[in-house]
């Protein structure tokens, strides 16, 4: 009996030593390297001109009570939020010049020269670096700080430059206007010149250059612009039906910034 117990203890000891040795032995495992794929999100590109940059500076200057960079950036963020929301004009000057939205005379009054350096720094930070005022968030509205309004949809986010900034949200907390794009999804493309045409009007036929065309189609719609013929049209034989020409519609250039209409039917309140 004692021999059996002794044999059992010996066997357990051997097993224990074996397990301990196994636990101390580390078998190197091949490193599993996860394949990292860089996914580049497609940015939405907005063109801007030197005139647009000036409009942005004007909005920042006159709406922030000539305050400081913090106030400038807050107003500039509202301008960019409106530009990228899809509910407002598709250019910076169109947003700033929209009727009854920003300070009266924002497009015509004088900007003091001493404010130019700080304004330029703020404008370039927004346009070139995608900077935004972090506390403004998705706000597209503001009013002078200290005023009170009896509306339930005014969700205040911050105060800067003497203004209180707010988002319009419904009873469920949802934005009442299309949300703006975050800055990392926006690319600003500088276009030299004082005016821009929408993308669909990129290739226009200069009106001063005659375009040789076949005879106009009598069935063309009223919206088709009249065509200019540079060579006399030879009348076909009476027995041969005339071949219809291909009408070319010359789109009307975009109206001046001061008369840009709202995209869609979203009504807005004053600045």
């Amino acid at each position: 009996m004692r021999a059996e117990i002794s044999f059992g203890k010996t066997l357990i000891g051997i097993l224990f030593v074996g397990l301990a040795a196994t636990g101390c032995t580390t078998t190197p495992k091949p490193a599993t390297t996860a394949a990292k794929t860089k996914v580049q999100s497609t940015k939405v590109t907005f063109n801007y001109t030197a005139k647009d940059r000036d409009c942005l500076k004007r909005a920042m200057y006159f709406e922030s009570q000539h305050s400081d960079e913090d106030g400038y950036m807050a107003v500039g963020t509202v301008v960019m939020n409106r530009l990228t929301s899809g509910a407002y004009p598709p250019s910076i000057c169109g947003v700033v010049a929209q009727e009854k939205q920003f300070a009266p005379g924002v497009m015509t009054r004088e900007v003091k020269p001493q404010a130019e350096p700080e304004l330029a720094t703020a404008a370039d930070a927004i346009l070139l670096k995608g900077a935004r005022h972090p506390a403004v968030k998705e706000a597209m509205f503001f009013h002078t700080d200290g005023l009170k309004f009896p509306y339930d949809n005014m969700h205040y986010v911050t105060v800067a430059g003497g203004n209180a900034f707010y988002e319009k949200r419904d009873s469920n907390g949802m934005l009442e206007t299309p949300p703006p794009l975050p800055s990392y999804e926006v690319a600003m493309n500088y276009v030299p010149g004082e005016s821009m045409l929408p993308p669909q009007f990129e290739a226009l036929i200069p009106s001063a250059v005659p375009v040789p065309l076949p005879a106009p189609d009598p069935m063309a719609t009223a919206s088709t612009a009249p065509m200019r013929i540079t060579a006399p049209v030879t009348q076909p034989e009476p027995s041969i039906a005339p071949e219809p020409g291909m009408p070319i519609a010359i789109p009307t250039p975009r109206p001046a910034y001061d008369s840009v209409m709202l995209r869609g039917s979203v009504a807005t309140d004053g600045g």
Side-chain angles (χ1 to χ4, degrees):
M1 182 68 179
R2 289 182 180 178
E4 289 178 0
I5 293 173
S6 176
F7 175 75
K9 288 181 178 179
T10 305
L11 182 60
I12 291 172
I14 293 171
L15 290 174
F16 178 78
V17 171
L19 289 173
T22 305
C24 293
T25 305
T26 304
T27 304
K29 294 182 180 179
T32 56
T33 307
K36 294 182 180 178
T37 307
K38 257 192 176 179
V39 179
Q40 288 186 344
S41 59
T42 304
K43 292 190 175 185
V44 179
T45 302
F46 292 84
N47 292 332
Y48 74 97
T49 64
K51 179 67 175 174
D52 287 305
R53 181 175 178 271
D54 181 65
C55 289
L56 178 62
K57 288 161 56 181
R58 286 179 162 276
M60 293 190 296
Y61 180 71
F62 290 112
E63 287 289 10
S64 65
Q65 301 179 10
H66 321 164
S67 60
D68 53 18
E69 189 175 357
D70 188 59
Y72 294 157
M73 291 297 296
V75 174
T77 300
V78 167
V79 173
M80 299 305 291
N81 283 351
R82 289 192 173 199
L83 174 69
T84 63
S85 75
Y88 297 88
S91 71
I92 294 175
C93 280
V95 169
V96 176
Q98 194 175 4
E99 189 176 359
K100 296 180 181 179
Q101 295 300 303
F102 287 88
V106 66
M107 300 292 286
T108 55
R109 290 159 61 191
E110 180 190 3
V111 177
K112 299 297 181 185
Q114 54 266 32
E116 281 290 345
E118 203 164 25
L119 281 172
T121 299
D124 290 340
I126 289 173
L127 296 173
L128 302 180
K129 301 177 183 177
R132 301 287 188 272
H133 193 296
V136 172
K137 300 179 182 178
E138 296 181 313
M140 286 180 260
F141 308 94
F142 59 89
H143 60 69
T144 303
D145 184 31
L147 299 179
K148 301 294 181 183
F149 297 92
Y151 304 115
D152 296 332
N153 64 343
M154 300 170 73
H155 177 73
Y156 290 93
V157 292
T158 192
V159 174
N163 292 311
F165 294 81
Y166 63 95
E167 303 164 341
K168 285 187 177 180
R169 294 186 177 273
D170 60 22
S171 56
N172 296 319
M174 302 296 292
L175 284 174
E176 294 181 353
T177 50
L181 295 175
S183 61
Y184 57 81
E185 290 185 10
V186 175
M188 298 303 297
N189 177 52
Y190 176 70
V191 178
E194 292 297 320
S195 64
M196 290 185 304
L197 295 177
Q200 64 266 31
F201 295 157
E202 282 178 357
L204 294 180
I205 301 174
S207 57
V209 180
V211 181
L213 296 171
D217 184 359
M219 299 303 292
T221 62
S223 63
T224 303
M227 296 175 290
R228 301 178 61 181
I229 310 299
T230 58
V233 179
T234 306
Q235 294 295 332
E237 294 295 332
S239 58
I240 302 175
E243 180 130 0
M246 180 161 302
I248 294 181
I250 309 289
T252 306
R254 182 175 169 179
Y257 287 122
D258 288 335
S259 62
V260 172
M261 301 299 292
L262 266 175
R263 287 188 290 163
S265 58
V266 178
T268 58
D269 297 330

